[in-house]
Amino acid sequence: MSGLLHDKNILVMGAANQRSIAWSIAEAVHREGGRVALTYQAERLKGRVTRLADELGGAPMIECDVADDDAVRRAVDRLAETMPVLHGVVHSIAWAPAEDLQGSFVETTRTGFAQANDISSYSLIAVAREARRLMTEGGAVVTMTYAGSWRVIPNYNVMGPAKASLESSVRYLAADLGPAGVRVNAVSAGPIATVAARTIKDFSGMLDLLESHTPLRRNVTADEVADAAVFLLSDLARAITGEVVHVDAGAHAVT
Ligand code: NAD
């Protein structure tokens, strides 16, 4: 498997450290011959992300807090200086207050619900709107979701409706941007121990349970999720849009 993304410019959003799914995707894009640009949320992450960018031979890095439309617009303007044409965007970003990722769902706060949906779902629309300015040759948008969107997962709580909204946006964006040759898809990953995932109460219990229940009798790795993202970014997936692809060792089929 080599060169699937040869000569393609890909923006990867959401690498905070080496465990981030976004980082595995950035590495896989690089391996497949794509040029990677990284965004990071805030100054406090800059040092860590600089080290990641160095591992890719000095990938361009741009700060972008997706809670702010102007910041998203500015980030794409800055990206245009090094990548005037963009072929792919990876949106691997989510956030919810820790207190809304445990206990009883009915106690979800109005603020927590709004924040989770703003950062984890609305941001895909904001990013797609700005990124399409540079996707003049068509391209692909890939976001990350989880099966808590359509079934109840203990403690996933407020992120469930946020991911349901994200997946619905994937379909609406696919319909909107398809005529311009831009495809929009999601990867629904099985649980992986990242910083975001560990905010969910008893996350490791979920990993243990799935290990004995999935058809493949194991959990997935970030590298496996990244390979699926590469496929969706590549021309091999040229007729696939508005889709949610499960990369979860088959968990979705048996629960
Ligand atoms: P992570 O903590 O490594 O990545 C989350 C990223 O979101 C971080 O880089 C963080 O800086 C960024 N972020 C949060 N708020 C932001 C903001 N306001 N502006 C810009 N960036 C912001 O965790 P991860 O598990 O790699 O998460 C990536 C995506 O994968 C998320 O959408 C998550 O829901 C999804 N996902 C994760 C799993 C899992 O088990 N880890 C499973 C399925 C889906």
Side-chain angles (χ1 to χ4, degrees), residues 14-17 19-22 40-41 45 64-67 92-95 119 144-146 156 159 163 188-197 203:
N17 58 44
R19 284 176 175 262
S20 295
I21 293 172
Y40 58 98
Q41 181 185 354
L45 296 175
C64 181
D65 183 337
V66 297
S92 187
I93 289 172
W95 186 83
I119 304 301
M144 298 301 311
T145 188
Y146 179 57
Y156 200 60
M159 281 304 297
K163 290 300 193 190
S188 184
I192 298 168
T194 62
V195 170
F203 177 79

PDB file of all heavy atoms in Angstrom, residues 14-17 19-22 40-41 45 64-67 92-95 119 144-146 156 159 163 188-197 203, ligand 1:
ATOM      1  N   GLY A  14      -6.891  18.240  14.882  1.00  0.00           N
ATOM      2  CA  GLY A  14      -7.209  17.487  16.101  1.00  0.00           C
ATOM      3  C   GLY A  14      -6.086  16.630  16.657  1.00  0.00           C
ATOM      4  O   GLY A  14      -6.320  15.817  17.542  1.00  0.00           O
ATOM      5  N   ALA A  15      -4.850  16.842  16.170  1.00  0.00           N
ATOM      6  CA  ALA A  15      -3.728  16.111  16.779  1.00  0.00           C
ATOM      7  C   ALA A  15      -3.273  16.894  18.013  1.00  0.00           C
ATOM      8  O   ALA A  15      -2.817  18.038  17.896  1.00  0.00           O
ATOM      9  CB  ALA A  15      -2.578  15.958  15.784  1.00  0.00           C
ATOM     10  N   ALA A  16      -3.421  16.296  19.179  1.00  0.00           N
ATOM     11  CA  ALA A  16      -2.964  16.947  20.413  1.00  0.00           C
ATOM     12  C   ALA A  16      -1.711  16.268  20.945  1.00  0.00           C
ATOM     13  O   ALA A  16      -0.893  16.894  21.610  1.00  0.00           O
ATOM     14  CB  ALA A  16      -4.067  16.903  21.471  1.00  0.00           C
ATOM     15  N   ASN A  17      -1.572  14.979  20.671  1.00  0.00           N
ATOM     16  CA  ASN A  17      -0.394  14.224  21.107  1.00  0.00           C
ATOM     17  C   ASN A  17      -0.287  12.950  20.278  1.00  0.00           C
ATOM     18  O   ASN A  17      -1.096  12.730  19.372  1.00  0.00           O
ATOM     19  CB  ASN A  17      -0.478  13.912  22.618  1.00  0.00           C
ATOM     20  CG  ASN A  17      -1.737  13.138  22.943  1.00  0.00           C
ATOM     21  OD1 ASN A  17      -2.110  12.206  22.237  1.00  0.00           O
ATOM     22  ND2 ASN A  17      -2.422  13.531  24.000  1.00  0.00           N
ATOM     23  N   ARG A  19      -1.051  10.002  20.860  1.00  0.00           N
ATOM     24  CA  ARG A  19      -2.166   9.048  20.965  1.00  0.00           C
ATOM     25  C   ARG A  19      -3.384   9.497  20.161  1.00  0.00           C
ATOM     26  O   ARG A  19      -4.325   8.717  19.966  1.00  0.00           O
ATOM     27  CB  ARG A  19      -2.592   8.888  22.422  1.00  0.00           C
ATOM     28  CG  ARG A  19      -1.631   8.035  23.208  1.00  0.00           C
ATOM     29  CD  ARG A  19      -2.047   7.996  24.665  1.00  0.00           C
ATOM     30  NE  ARG A  19      -1.202   7.094  25.400  1.00  0.00           N
ATOM     31  CZ  ARG A  19      -1.525   5.836  25.698  1.00  0.00           C
ATOM     32  NH1 ARG A  19      -2.690   5.364  25.346  1.00  0.00           N
ATOM     33  NH2 ARG A  19      -0.692   5.075  26.363  1.00  0.00           N
ATOM     34  N   SER A  20      -3.416  10.752  19.747  1.00  0.00           N
ATOM     35  CA  SER A  20      -4.595  11.265  19.027  1.00  0.00           C
ATOM     36  C   SER A  20      -4.825  10.479  17.746  1.00  0.00           C
ATOM     37  O   SER A  20      -3.872  10.188  17.007  1.00  0.00           O
ATOM     38  CB  SER A  20      -4.373  12.734  18.645  1.00  0.00           C
ATOM     39  OG  SER A  20      -4.272  13.541  19.782  1.00  0.00           O
ATOM     40  N   ILE A  21      -6.089  10.196  17.473  1.00  0.00           N
ATOM     41  CA  ILE A  21      -6.420   9.530  16.204  1.00  0.00           C
ATOM     42  C   ILE A  21      -5.947  10.407  15.040  1.00  0.00           C
ATOM     43  O   ILE A  21      -5.442   9.904  14.035  1.00  0.00           O
ATOM     44  CB  ILE A  21      -7.937   9.255  16.136  1.00  0.00           C
ATOM     45  CG1 ILE A  21      -8.329   8.221  17.203  1.00  0.00           C
ATOM     46  CG2 ILE A  21      -8.351   8.779  14.757  1.00  0.00           C
ATOM     47  CD1 ILE A  21      -9.826   8.002  17.377  1.00  0.00           C
ATOM     48  N   ALA A  22      -6.076  11.719  15.202  1.00  0.00           N
ATOM     49  CA  ALA A  22      -5.638  12.638  14.140  1.00  0.00           C
ATOM     50  C   ALA A  22      -4.156  12.452  13.824  1.00  0.00           C
ATOM     51  O   ALA A  22      -3.739  12.568  12.667  1.00  0.00           O
ATOM     52  CB  ALA A  22      -5.910  14.087  14.547  1.00  0.00           C
ATOM     53  N   TYR A  40      -3.858  22.922  15.541  1.00  0.00           N
ATOM     54  CA  TYR A  40      -3.892  22.587  16.966  1.00  0.00           C
ATOM     55  C   TYR A  40      -4.784  23.608  17.645  1.00  0.00           C
ATOM     56  O   TYR A  40      -4.918  24.753  17.206  1.00  0.00           O
ATOM     57  CB  TYR A  40      -2.477  22.555  17.560  1.00  0.00           C
ATOM     58  CG  TYR A  40      -1.727  23.844  17.409  1.00  0.00           C
ATOM     59  CD1 TYR A  40      -1.671  24.768  18.458  1.00  0.00           C
ATOM     60  CD2 TYR A  40      -1.097  24.173  16.203  1.00  0.00           C
ATOM     61  CE1 TYR A  40      -1.002  25.968  18.315  1.00  0.00           C
ATOM     62  CE2 TYR A  40      -0.432  25.373  16.055  1.00  0.00           C
ATOM     63  CZ  TYR A  40      -0.386  26.269  17.117  1.00  0.00           C
ATOM     64  OH  TYR A  40       0.252  27.464  16.961  1.00  0.00           O
ATOM     65  N   GLN A  41      -5.377  23.172  18.751  1.00  0.00           N
ATOM     66  CA  GLN A  41      -6.441  23.950  19.381  1.00  0.00           C
ATOM     67  C   GLN A  41      -5.975  25.273  19.974  1.00  0.00           C
ATOM     68  O   GLN A  41      -6.646  26.293  19.839  1.00  0.00           O
ATOM     69  CB  GLN A  41      -7.096  23.103  20.475  1.00  0.00           C
ATOM     70  CG  GLN A  41      -8.230  23.772  21.200  1.00  0.00           C
ATOM     71  CD  GLN A  41      -8.754  22.916  22.342  1.00  0.00           C
ATOM     72  OE1 GLN A  41      -8.319  21.765  22.503  1.00  0.00           O
ATOM     73  NE2 GLN A  41      -9.660  23.453  23.122  1.00  0.00           N
ATOM     74  N   LEU A  45      -0.812  23.690  23.391  1.00  0.00           N
ATOM     75  CA  LEU A  45      -0.499  22.433  22.687  1.00  0.00           C
ATOM     76  C   LEU A  45       0.601  22.615  21.645  1.00  0.00           C
ATOM     77  O   LEU A  45       1.051  21.640  21.029  1.00  0.00           O
ATOM     78  CB  LEU A  45      -1.755  21.890  21.988  1.00  0.00           C
ATOM     79  CG  LEU A  45      -2.906  21.472  22.889  1.00  0.00           C
ATOM     80  CD1 LEU A  45      -4.116  21.069  22.057  1.00  0.00           C
ATOM     81  CD2 LEU A  45      -2.478  20.298  23.782  1.00  0.00           C
ATOM     82  N   CYS A  64      -5.974  26.810  15.649  1.00  0.00           N
ATOM     83  CA  CYS A  64      -7.388  26.965  15.270  1.00  0.00           C
ATOM     84  C   CYS A  64      -8.298  26.421  16.364  1.00  0.00           C
ATOM     85  O   CYS A  64      -8.376  25.212  16.568  1.00  0.00           O
ATOM     86  CB  CYS A  64      -7.660  26.239  13.951  1.00  0.00           C
ATOM     87  SG  CYS A  64      -9.372  26.420  13.408  1.00  0.00           S
ATOM     88  N   ASP A  65      -8.968  27.338  17.046  1.00  0.00           N
ATOM     89  CA  ASP A  65      -9.995  26.938  18.006  1.00  0.00           C
ATOM     90  C   ASP A  65     -11.322  26.923  17.247  1.00  0.00           C
ATOM     91  O   ASP A  65     -11.818  27.983  16.832  1.00  0.00           O
ATOM     92  CB  ASP A  65     -10.035  27.938  19.166  1.00  0.00           C
ATOM     93  CG  ASP A  65     -11.044  27.516  20.226  1.00  0.00           C
ATOM     94  OD1 ASP A  65     -11.978  26.755  19.904  1.00  0.00           O
ATOM     95  OD2 ASP A  65     -10.898  27.955  21.383  1.00  0.00           O
ATOM     96  N   VAL A  66     -11.895  25.744  17.056  1.00  0.00           N
ATOM     97  CA  VAL A  66     -13.087  25.635  16.207  1.00  0.00           C
ATOM     98  C   VAL A  66     -14.347  26.203  16.851  1.00  0.00           C
ATOM     99  O   VAL A  66     -15.405  26.230  16.231  1.00  0.00           O
ATOM    100  CB  VAL A  66     -13.331  24.180  15.741  1.00  0.00           C
ATOM    101  CG1 VAL A  66     -12.205  23.661  14.875  1.00  0.00           C
ATOM    102  CG2 VAL A  66     -13.604  23.264  16.933  1.00  0.00           C
ATOM    103  N   ALA A  67     -14.232  26.677  18.093  1.00  0.00           N
ATOM    104  CA  ALA A  67     -15.388  27.322  18.727  1.00  0.00           C
ATOM    105  C   ALA A  67     -15.618  28.722  18.153  1.00  0.00           C
ATOM    106  O   ALA A  67     -16.649  29.346  18.434  1.00  0.00           O
ATOM    107  CB  ALA A  67     -15.175  27.410  20.234  1.00  0.00           C
ATOM    108  N   SER A  92     -11.049  15.758  13.368  1.00  0.00           N
ATOM    109  CA  SER A  92     -10.946  14.731  14.419  1.00  0.00           C
ATOM    110  C   SER A  92     -10.967  15.444  15.766  1.00  0.00           C
ATOM    111  O   SER A  92     -10.005  15.432  16.522  1.00  0.00           O
ATOM    112  CB  SER A  92      -9.649  13.932  14.208  1.00  0.00           C
ATOM    113  OG  SER A  92      -9.589  12.849  15.097  1.00  0.00           O
ATOM    114  N   ILE A  93     -12.097  16.072  16.040  1.00  0.00           N
ATOM    115  CA  ILE A  93     -12.228  17.006  17.154  1.00  0.00           C
ATOM    116  C   ILE A  93     -13.525  16.735  17.907  1.00  0.00           C
ATOM    117  O   ILE A  93     -14.577  16.569  17.282  1.00  0.00           O
ATOM    118  CB  ILE A  93     -12.238  18.459  16.599  1.00  0.00           C
ATOM    119  CG1 ILE A  93     -10.841  18.838  16.101  1.00  0.00           C
ATOM    120  CG2 ILE A  93     -12.761  19.455  17.632  1.00  0.00           C
ATOM    121  CD1 ILE A  93     -10.792  20.162  15.372  1.00  0.00           C
ATOM    122  N   ALA A  94     -13.442  16.680  19.209  1.00  0.00           N
ATOM    123  CA  ALA A  94     -14.657  16.574  20.030  1.00  0.00           C
ATOM    124  C   ALA A  94     -14.339  17.079  21.426  1.00  0.00           C
ATOM    125  O   ALA A  94     -13.192  17.012  21.876  1.00  0.00           O
ATOM    126  CB  ALA A  94     -15.142  15.122  20.091  1.00  0.00           C
ATOM    127  N   TRP A  95     -15.355  17.554  22.080  1.00  0.00           N
ATOM    128  CA  TRP A  95     -15.173  17.971  23.470  1.00  0.00           C
ATOM    129  C   TRP A  95     -16.544  18.070  24.154  1.00  0.00           C
ATOM    130  O   TRP A  95     -17.530  18.488  23.539  1.00  0.00           O
ATOM    131  CB  TRP A  95     -14.478  19.329  23.569  1.00  0.00           C
ATOM    132  CG  TRP A  95     -14.161  19.692  24.987  1.00  0.00           C
ATOM    133  CD1 TRP A  95     -13.080  19.294  25.706  1.00  0.00           C
ATOM    134  CD2 TRP A  95     -14.962  20.495  25.873  1.00  0.00           C
ATOM    135  NE1 TRP A  95     -13.148  19.788  26.974  1.00  0.00           N
ATOM    136  CE2 TRP A  95     -14.290  20.527  27.116  1.00  0.00           C
ATOM    137  CE3 TRP A  95     -16.176  21.172  25.733  1.00  0.00           C
ATOM    138  CZ2 TRP A  95     -14.797  21.218  28.212  1.00  0.00           C
ATOM    139  CZ3 TRP A  95     -16.688  21.865  26.833  1.00  0.00           C
ATOM    140  CH2 TRP A  95     -15.982  21.882  28.053  1.00  0.00           C
ATOM    141  N   ILE A 119     -18.703  22.254  19.696  1.00  0.00           N
ATOM    142  CA  ILE A 119     -17.323  21.840  19.392  1.00  0.00           C
ATOM    143  C   ILE A 119     -17.297  20.546  18.583  1.00  0.00           C
ATOM    144  O   ILE A 119     -16.495  20.407  17.652  1.00  0.00           O
ATOM    145  CB  ILE A 119     -16.522  21.605  20.702  1.00  0.00           C
ATOM    146  CG1 ILE A 119     -16.539  22.839  21.590  1.00  0.00           C
ATOM    147  CG2 ILE A 119     -15.091  21.178  20.392  1.00  0.00           C
ATOM    148  CD1 ILE A 119     -15.967  24.078  20.971  1.00  0.00           C
ATOM    149  N   MET A 144     -14.736  12.083  12.499  1.00  0.00           N
ATOM    150  CA  MET A 144     -14.662  10.915  13.380  1.00  0.00           C
ATOM    151  C   MET A 144     -15.913  10.853  14.256  1.00  0.00           C
ATOM    152  O   MET A 144     -16.259  11.823  14.924  1.00  0.00           O
ATOM    153  CB  MET A 144     -13.447  11.017  14.303  1.00  0.00           C
ATOM    154  CG  MET A 144     -12.113  11.040  13.590  1.00  0.00           C
ATOM    155  SD  MET A 144     -11.849   9.583  12.579  1.00  0.00           S
ATOM    156  CE  MET A 144     -12.265   8.337  13.762  1.00  0.00           C
ATOM    157  N   THR A 145     -16.555   9.678  14.257  1.00  0.00           N
ATOM    158  CA  THR A 145     -17.734   9.529  15.093  1.00  0.00           C
ATOM    159  C   THR A 145     -17.645   8.241  15.908  1.00  0.00           C
ATOM    160  O   THR A 145     -16.635   7.534  15.857  1.00  0.00           O
ATOM    161  CB  THR A 145     -19.023   9.591  14.236  1.00  0.00           C
ATOM    162  OG1 THR A 145     -20.157   9.630  15.106  1.00  0.00           O
ATOM    163  CG2 THR A 145     -19.137   8.396  13.291  1.00  0.00           C
ATOM    164  N   TYR A 146     -18.708   7.966  16.660  1.00  0.00           N
ATOM    165  CA  TYR A 146     -18.721   6.778  17.517  1.00  0.00           C
ATOM    166  C   TYR A 146     -20.148   6.237  17.589  1.00  0.00           C
ATOM    167  O   TYR A 146     -21.119   6.998  17.516  1.00  0.00           O
ATOM    168  CB  TYR A 146     -18.208   7.144  18.921  1.00  0.00           C
ATOM    169  CG  TYR A 146     -18.212   5.964  19.870  1.00  0.00           C
ATOM    170  CD1 TYR A 146     -17.521   4.806  19.547  1.00  0.00           C
ATOM    171  CD2 TYR A 146     -18.936   6.006  21.055  1.00  0.00           C
ATOM    172  CE1 TYR A 146     -17.548   3.706  20.393  1.00  0.00           C
ATOM    173  CE2 TYR A 146     -18.960   4.918  21.910  1.00  0.00           C
ATOM    174  CZ  TYR A 146     -18.261   3.768  21.565  1.00  0.00           C
ATOM    175  OH  TYR A 146     -18.295   2.683  22.396  1.00  0.00           O
ATOM    176  N   TYR A 156     -21.393   7.764  27.935  1.00  0.00           N
ATOM    177  CA  TYR A 156     -21.107   8.551  26.727  1.00  0.00           C
ATOM    178  C   TYR A 156     -22.052   9.757  26.684  1.00  0.00           C
ATOM    179  O   TYR A 156     -21.724  10.811  26.159  1.00  0.00           O
ATOM    180  CB  TYR A 156     -21.263   7.684  25.472  1.00  0.00           C
ATOM    181  CG  TYR A 156     -20.558   8.239  24.257  1.00  0.00           C
ATOM    182  CD1 TYR A 156     -19.178   8.435  24.257  1.00  0.00           C
ATOM    183  CD2 TYR A 156     -21.260   8.566  23.098  1.00  0.00           C
ATOM    184  CE1 TYR A 156     -18.529   8.937  23.141  1.00  0.00           C
ATOM    185  CE2 TYR A 156     -20.616   9.062  21.976  1.00  0.00           C
ATOM    186  CZ  TYR A 156     -19.251   9.247  22.005  1.00  0.00           C
ATOM    187  OH  TYR A 156     -18.601   9.756  20.897  1.00  0.00           O
ATOM    188  N   MET A 159     -22.403  13.139  24.498  1.00  0.00           N
ATOM    189  CA  MET A 159     -21.724  12.983  23.215  1.00  0.00           C
ATOM    190  C   MET A 159     -22.558  12.165  22.238  1.00  0.00           C
ATOM    191  O   MET A 159     -22.337  12.236  21.028  1.00  0.00           O
ATOM    192  CB  MET A 159     -20.352  12.322  23.402  1.00  0.00           C
ATOM    193  CG  MET A 159     -19.264  13.259  23.898  1.00  0.00           C
ATOM    194  SD  MET A 159     -19.040  14.713  22.842  1.00  0.00           S
ATOM    195  CE  MET A 159     -18.530  13.940  21.336  1.00  0.00           C
ATOM    196  N   LYS A 163     -22.864  13.279  18.447  1.00  0.00           N
ATOM    197  CA  LYS A 163     -22.387  12.469  17.318  1.00  0.00           C
ATOM    198  C   LYS A 163     -23.528  12.164  16.339  1.00  0.00           C
ATOM    199  O   LYS A 163     -23.301  12.059  15.128  1.00  0.00           O
ATOM    200  CB  LYS A 163     -21.758  11.164  17.821  1.00  0.00           C
ATOM    201  CG  LYS A 163     -20.423  11.349  18.550  1.00  0.00           C
ATOM    202  CD  LYS A 163     -19.356  11.998  17.687  1.00  0.00           C
ATOM    203  CE  LYS A 163     -17.972  11.880  18.313  1.00  0.00           C
ATOM    204  NZ  LYS A 163     -16.955  12.694  17.608  1.00  0.00           N
ATOM    205  N   SER A 188     -16.609   5.664  11.978  1.00  0.00           N
ATOM    206  CA  SER A 188     -17.098   5.375  13.325  1.00  0.00           C
ATOM    207  C   SER A 188     -16.129   4.371  13.952  1.00  0.00           C
ATOM    208  O   SER A 188     -16.154   3.181  13.636  1.00  0.00           O
ATOM    209  CB  SER A 188     -18.524   4.802  13.255  1.00  0.00           C
ATOM    210  OG  SER A 188     -19.026   4.619  14.563  1.00  0.00           O
ATOM    211  N   ALA A 189     -15.277   4.889  14.816  1.00  0.00           N
ATOM    212  CA  ALA A 189     -14.194   4.070  15.375  1.00  0.00           C
ATOM    213  C   ALA A 189     -14.636   3.361  16.645  1.00  0.00           C
ATOM    214  O   ALA A 189     -15.430   3.891  17.419  1.00  0.00           O
ATOM    215  CB  ALA A 189     -12.992   4.970  15.689  1.00  0.00           C
ATOM    216  N   GLY A 190     -14.083   2.179  16.849  1.00  0.00           N
ATOM    217  CA  GLY A 190     -14.229   1.535  18.145  1.00  0.00           C
ATOM    218  C   GLY A 190     -13.412   2.308  19.169  1.00  0.00           C
ATOM    219  O   GLY A 190     -12.604   3.167  18.809  1.00  0.00           O
ATOM    220  N   PRO A 191     -13.608   2.025  20.459  1.00  0.00           N
ATOM    221  CA  PRO A 191     -12.919   2.797  21.494  1.00  0.00           C
ATOM    222  C   PRO A 191     -11.397   2.629  21.476  1.00  0.00           C
ATOM    223  O   PRO A 191     -10.902   1.516  21.302  1.00  0.00           O
ATOM    224  CB  PRO A 191     -13.514   2.275  22.800  1.00  0.00           C
ATOM    225  CG  PRO A 191     -14.203   1.016  22.467  1.00  0.00           C
ATOM    226  CD  PRO A 191     -14.524   1.024  21.009  1.00  0.00           C
ATOM    227  N   ILE A 192     -10.697   3.730  21.643  1.00  0.00           N
ATOM    228  CA  ILE A 192      -9.233   3.764  21.661  1.00  0.00           C
ATOM    229  C   ILE A 192      -8.826   4.677  22.809  1.00  0.00           C
ATOM    230  O   ILE A 192      -9.406   5.769  22.966  1.00  0.00           O
ATOM    231  CB  ILE A 192      -8.702   4.337  20.330  1.00  0.00           C
ATOM    232  CG1 ILE A 192      -9.108   3.435  19.153  1.00  0.00           C
ATOM    233  CG2 ILE A 192      -7.185   4.520  20.363  1.00  0.00           C
ATOM    234  CD1 ILE A 192      -8.891   4.054  17.785  1.00  0.00           C
ATOM    235  N   ALA A 193      -7.833   4.284  23.579  1.00  0.00           N
ATOM    236  CA  ALA A 193      -7.463   5.055  24.776  1.00  0.00           C
ATOM    237  C   ALA A 193      -6.701   6.342  24.413  1.00  0.00           C
ATOM    238  O   ALA A 193      -5.485   6.346  24.284  1.00  0.00           O
ATOM    239  CB  ALA A 193      -6.615   4.197  25.699  1.00  0.00           C
ATOM    240  N   THR A 194      -7.445   7.412  24.206  1.00  0.00           N
ATOM    241  CA  THR A 194      -6.868   8.738  23.947  1.00  0.00           C
ATOM    242  C   THR A 194      -7.262   9.667  25.098  1.00  0.00           C
ATOM    243  O   THR A 194      -8.062   9.279  25.952  1.00  0.00           O
ATOM    244  CB  THR A 194      -7.426   9.315  22.632  1.00  0.00           C
ATOM    245  OG1 THR A 194      -8.846   9.453  22.793  1.00  0.00           O
ATOM    246  CG2 THR A 194      -7.130   8.419  21.442  1.00  0.00           C
ATOM    247  N   VAL A 195      -6.755  10.884  25.058  1.00  0.00           N
ATOM    248  CA  VAL A 195      -7.101  11.839  26.124  1.00  0.00           C
ATOM    249  C   VAL A 195      -8.608  12.075  26.159  1.00  0.00           C
ATOM    250  O   VAL A 195      -9.240  12.017  27.225  1.00  0.00           O
ATOM    251  CB  VAL A 195      -6.349  13.181  25.912  1.00  0.00           C
ATOM    252  CG1 VAL A 195      -6.888  14.246  26.855  1.00  0.00           C
ATOM    253  CG2 VAL A 195      -4.860  12.982  26.105  1.00  0.00           C
ATOM    254  N   ALA A 196      -9.210  12.311  24.982  1.00  0.00           N
ATOM    255  CA  ALA A 196     -10.654  12.591  24.939  1.00  0.00           C
ATOM    256  C   ALA A 196     -11.436  11.389  25.481  1.00  0.00           C
ATOM    257  O   ALA A 196     -12.379  11.546  26.258  1.00  0.00           O
ATOM    258  CB  ALA A 196     -11.084  12.911  23.508  1.00  0.00           C
ATOM    259  N   ALA A 197     -11.041  10.187  25.073  1.00  0.00           N
ATOM    260  CA  ALA A 197     -11.794   8.994  25.481  1.00  0.00           C
ATOM    261  C   ALA A 197     -11.694   8.780  26.984  1.00  0.00           C
ATOM    262  O   ALA A 197     -12.663   8.366  27.630  1.00  0.00           O
ATOM    263  CB  ALA A 197     -11.252   7.779  24.724  1.00  0.00           C
ATOM    264  N   PHE A 203     -14.020   4.268  31.061  1.00  0.00           N
ATOM    265  CA  PHE A 203     -13.708   3.964  29.665  1.00  0.00           C
ATOM    266  C   PHE A 203     -12.969   2.628  29.541  1.00  0.00           C
ATOM    267  O   PHE A 203     -13.216   1.846  28.624  1.00  0.00           O
ATOM    268  CB  PHE A 203     -12.861   5.100  29.067  1.00  0.00           C
ATOM    269  CG  PHE A 203     -12.435   4.841  27.660  1.00  0.00           C
ATOM    270  CD1 PHE A 203     -13.314   5.029  26.606  1.00  0.00           C
ATOM    271  CD2 PHE A 203     -11.157   4.389  27.376  1.00  0.00           C
ATOM    272  CE1 PHE A 203     -12.943   4.764  25.295  1.00  0.00           C
ATOM    273  CE2 PHE A 203     -10.772   4.120  26.075  1.00  0.00           C
ATOM    274  CZ  PHE A 203     -11.660   4.310  25.036  1.00  0.00           C
TER     275      PHE A 203
HETATM  276  P1  NAD B   1      -7.875  13.504  21.373  1.00  0.00           P
HETATM  277  O1  NAD B   1      -8.105  14.056  22.730  1.00  0.00           O
HETATM  278  O2  NAD B   1      -6.507  13.060  21.055  1.00  0.00           O
HETATM  279  O3  NAD B   1      -8.370  14.496  20.236  1.00  0.00           O
HETATM  280  C1  NAD B   1      -9.414  15.426  20.439  1.00  0.00           C
HETATM  281  C2  NAD B   1      -8.939  16.701  19.798  1.00  0.00           C
HETATM  282  O4  NAD B   1      -9.984  17.675  19.823  1.00  0.00           O
HETATM  283  C3  NAD B   1      -7.736  17.318  20.535  1.00  0.00           C
HETATM  284  O5  NAD B   1      -6.693  17.559  19.611  1.00  0.00           O
HETATM  285  C4  NAD B   1      -8.281  18.640  21.053  1.00  0.00           C
HETATM  286  O6  NAD B   1      -7.310  19.661  21.107  1.00  0.00           O
HETATM  287  C5  NAD B   1      -9.335  18.922  19.984  1.00  0.00           C
HETATM  288  N1  NAD B   1     -10.269  19.968  20.387  1.00  0.00           N
HETATM  289  C6  NAD B   1     -11.129  19.984  21.441  1.00  0.00           C
HETATM  290  N2  NAD B   1     -11.754  21.171  21.507  1.00  0.00           N
HETATM  291  C7  NAD B   1     -11.304  21.906  20.444  1.00  0.00           C
HETATM  292  C8  NAD B   1     -11.554  23.228  19.985  1.00  0.00           C
HETATM  293  N3  NAD B   1     -12.410  24.050  20.609  1.00  0.00           N
HETATM  294  N4  NAD B   1     -10.890  23.666  18.870  1.00  0.00           N
HETATM  295  C9  NAD B   1     -10.011  22.860  18.230  1.00  0.00           C
HETATM  296  N5  NAD B   1      -9.728  21.605  18.631  1.00  0.00           N
HETATM  297  C10 NAD B   1     -10.365  21.147  19.733  1.00  0.00           C
HETATM  298  O7  NAD B   1      -8.915  12.270  21.245  1.00  0.00           O
HETATM  299  P2  NAD B   1      -9.335  11.357  20.018  1.00  0.00           P
HETATM  300  O8  NAD B   1      -9.916  10.144  20.625  1.00  0.00           O
HETATM  301  O9  NAD B   1      -8.225  11.225  19.062  1.00  0.00           O
HETATM  302  O10 NAD B   1     -10.548  12.161  19.370  1.00  0.00           O
HETATM  303  C11 NAD B   1     -10.603  12.482  18.010  1.00  0.00           C
HETATM  304  C12 NAD B   1     -12.005  12.228  17.458  1.00  0.00           C
HETATM  305  O11 NAD B   1     -12.238  10.822  17.417  1.00  0.00           O
HETATM  306  C13 NAD B   1     -13.141  12.822  18.262  1.00  0.00           C
HETATM  307  O12 NAD B   1     -14.129  13.310  17.384  1.00  0.00           O
HETATM  308  C14 NAD B   1     -13.668  11.627  19.021  1.00  0.00           C
HETATM  309  O13 NAD B   1     -15.015  11.775  19.418  1.00  0.00           O
HETATM  310  C15 NAD B   1     -13.513  10.583  17.949  1.00  0.00           C
HETATM  311  N6  NAD B   1     -13.598   9.204  18.406  1.00  0.00           N
HETATM  312  C16 NAD B   1     -12.765   8.760  19.374  1.00  0.00           C
HETATM  313  C17 NAD B   1     -12.874   7.459  19.794  1.00  0.00           C
HETATM  314  C18 NAD B   1     -11.984   6.932  20.894  1.00  0.00           C
HETATM  315  O14 NAD B   1     -12.344   5.934  21.522  1.00  0.00           O
HETATM  316  N7  NAD B   1     -10.843   7.555  21.146  1.00  0.00           N
HETATM  317  C19 NAD B   1     -13.833   6.589  19.229  1.00  0.00           C
HETATM  318  C20 NAD B   1     -14.649   7.082  18.233  1.00  0.00           C
HETATM  319  C21 NAD B   1     -14.535   8.392  17.827  1.00  0.00           C
END
